[in-house]
Amino acid sequence: MPHTLDTLDTPAAIVCLPRMQHNIARMQQQAERLGVRLRPHAKTTKCAEVVAAQQAAGASGITVSTLKEAEQFFAQGVTDILYAVGMAPHRLPQALALRQRGCALKILTDSVTGAQAIVDFGRAHAHAFDVLVEIDTDGHRSGITPDDAALLDVGRLLHEGGMRLAGVLTHAGSSYELDTPHALAALAEQERAGCVHAAQRLRAAGLPCPVVSVGSTPTALAAESLEGVTELRAGVYVFFDLVMHNVGVCRTDEIALSVLTTVIGHQADKGWAIVDAGWMAMSRDRGTARQAQDYGYGQVCALDGTPMPGWRMSSANQEHGIVSHSAAPGAQNAPIDVAAALPIGTRLRILPNHACATGAQFPQYHALAEDGAVQAWHRFHGW
């Protein structure tokens, strides 16, 4: 018997299909407007059905964060895959096996040491890997800065060592810390200009650099020009979340992922409703705590997905979530009769702080169509 939101066991990860399709179309249109290919990051969803929807809309290739994702998506028929995490030497045999089976896997490095390991392994196995060099354009995490002498050292080592120097890649992850259109547009331009400059340095040194790959969801949506860039990467846009809402790149009614939960009890004197979705369902991610609007562990919505003003998941234990209202005892407003407002058995949906982290708590999504029908979609797990 097909499930509906009324019959699913809880907690469950719900994907609102109309919202997801809207988000996919929005990013695809942005890439096309800017004249670049869209290579979505599949780490957010780790789901074949979602990637199929992105490809149907015009996406070209995917980005992954683990080689297990690469294995799983290749088994589903996706061949153009970028593994956008620095290549550890012990993973090179797995990468080679994928490529030998027909996967056009591209790998990443940001150091002479890493490049040397790739060259040594490639030579030992008579194989030329496609390698991108990671560029640091915002000091957020890893990569070589665009003007660092090490960029040319890495490029020459890969090229002269028989590998294919495929290009340069950057990710302006510090965009998650911004919240104004002007700041996001400025960082998007910084990201573009830095990565393009790195590519120009390689080319000026006589080295190939066909791919210039940039992107995070906020900078992808804020970019006004991507001159010199060949591809755009973004991931969380497909679902969005409360952190992205606070950054300013989506509305709450564009957040496609929620957690279905049931009210299982109350602490009336504290103004609490207890639900069966704790941090094992929502994750421990408290990303909005560092932003202007703190949603606790998530924004509470009615069963139809409409946000309920003032209600949030304010705390979480392993399998218990605490839902409270801003007018709970101790607040300035009059107390809410939480048992009357949210009787035992009430079904709610919680919008997550971080869609990637919340999705990772579940082995499957339940895709909710506009007519209310629910279909189970498998989600990949592990490394």
Side-chain angles (χ1 to χ4, degrees):
M1 176 179 173
H3 280 294
T4 66
L5 293 186
D6 291 313
T7 62
L8 277 177
D9 196 7
T10 56
I14 307 300
V15 175
C16 175
L17 290 182
R19 294 184 184 187
M20 184 192 82
Q21 292 288 5
H22 164 79
N23 298 339
I24 289 172
R26 179 185 172 193
M27 186 63 79
Q28 187 65 44
Q29 290 163 8
Q30 173 74 339
E32 292 171 3
R33 182 183 73 81
L34 294 168
V36 295
R37 66 185 286 183
L38 176 62
R39 180 189 288 277
H41 208 314
K43 70 171 184 176
T44 294
T45 67
K46 300 192 181 189
C47 177
E49 286 86 351
V50 177
V51 165
Q54 291 170 310
Q55 291 182 323
S60 179
I62 63 170
T63 311
V64 299
S65 58
T66 71
L67 286 180
K68 182 171 183 179
E69 290 167 56
E71 296 271 6
Q72 298 275 4
F73 282 114
F74 180 59
Q76 296 289 331
V78 180
T79 58
D80 184 359
I81 300 176
L82 168 61
Y83 173 46
V85 173
M87 173 55 68
H90 77 274
R91 295 194 179 104
L92 283 165
Q94 187 179 2
L96 176 62
L98 270 165
R99 288 174 60 86
Q100 289 176 332
R101 284 167 25 219
C103 180
L105 182 73
K106 297 149 193 69
I107 62 176
L108 190 68
T109 190
D110 70 348
S111 70
V112 169
T113 301
Q116 188 66 62
I118 294 168
V119 167
D120 291 345
F121 184 87
R123 282 177 166 171
H125 293 83
H127 187 83
F129 286 96
D130 291 290
V131 189
L132 283 84
V133 181
E134 185 171 11
I135 307 301
D136 175 8
T137 53
D138 67 347
H140 170 65
R141 192 166 56 197
S142 51
I144 301 170
T145 56
D147 280 312
D148 194 326
L151 172 63
L152 299 186
D153 294 336
V154 170
R156 287 194 187 97
L157 177 55
L158 291 168
H159 183 63
E160 295 171 3
M163 302 302 106
R164 282 188 284 269
L165 181 56
V168 288
L169 170 152
T170 193
H171 170 69
S174 62
S175 60
Y176 281 44
E177 301 165 11
L178 306 177
D179 61 5
T180 68
H182 175 75
L184 288 169
L187 184 59
E189 173 55 22
Q190 176 180 318
E191 178 185 47
R192 181 206 70 82
C195 203
V196 169
H197 177 56
Q200 290 170 337
R201 287 188 64 216
L202 288 169
R203 292 166 185 156
L207 297 167
C209 187
V211 174
V212 180
S213 180
V214 307
S216 69
T217 286
T219 54
L221 292 171
E224 297 170 357
S225 167
L226 287 182
E227 182 179 357
V229 170
T230 64
E231 72 177 25
L232 187 63
R233 302 181 333 279
V236 75
Y237 76 90
V238 69
F239 286 166
F240 284 127
D241 52 33
L242 292 169
V243 166
M244 289 294 101
H245 169 67
N246 280 347
V247 169
V249 296
C250 72
R251 305 184 307 268
T252 53
D253 64 4
E254 292 176 305
I255 299 174
L257 180 67
S258 61
V259 174
L260 181 68
T261 188
T262 303
V263 176
I264 58 173
H266 303 98
Q267 288 284 351
D269 59 327
K270 298 176 182 177
W272 293 353
I274 312 300
V275 297
D276 63 356
W279 59 255
M280 285 290 286
M282 300 305 303
S283 87
R284 283 193 179 275
D285 195 297
R286 291 279 288 106
T288 61
R290 300 185 296 274
Q291 297 179 310
Q293 185 170 1
D294 184 4
Y295 287 94
Y297 284 84
Q299 168 66 53
V300 177
C301 299
L303 188 60
D304 66 359
T306 304
M308 298 167 59
W311 293 96
R312 64 173 188 159
M313 182 179 284
S314 54
S315 184
N317 300 118
Q318 185 164 333
E319 301 295 353
H320 295 76
I322 295 174
V323 167
S324 60
H325 193 272
S326 58
Q332 294 179 348
N333 303 317
I336 294 287
D337 183 346
V338 68
L342 301 175
I344 288 177
T346 300
R347 291 191 162 218
L348 303 168
R349 285 162 67 184
I350 315 293
L351 301 180
N353 287 320
H354 185 180
C356 307
T358 296
Q361 307 305 305
F362 294 89
Q364 64 182 355
Y365 301 114
H366 293 278
L368 176 65
E370 196 162 13
D371 65 2
V374 174
Q375 180 182 4
W377 287 354
H378 175 66
R379 187 186 190 283
F380 306 149
H381 270 262
W383 288 265

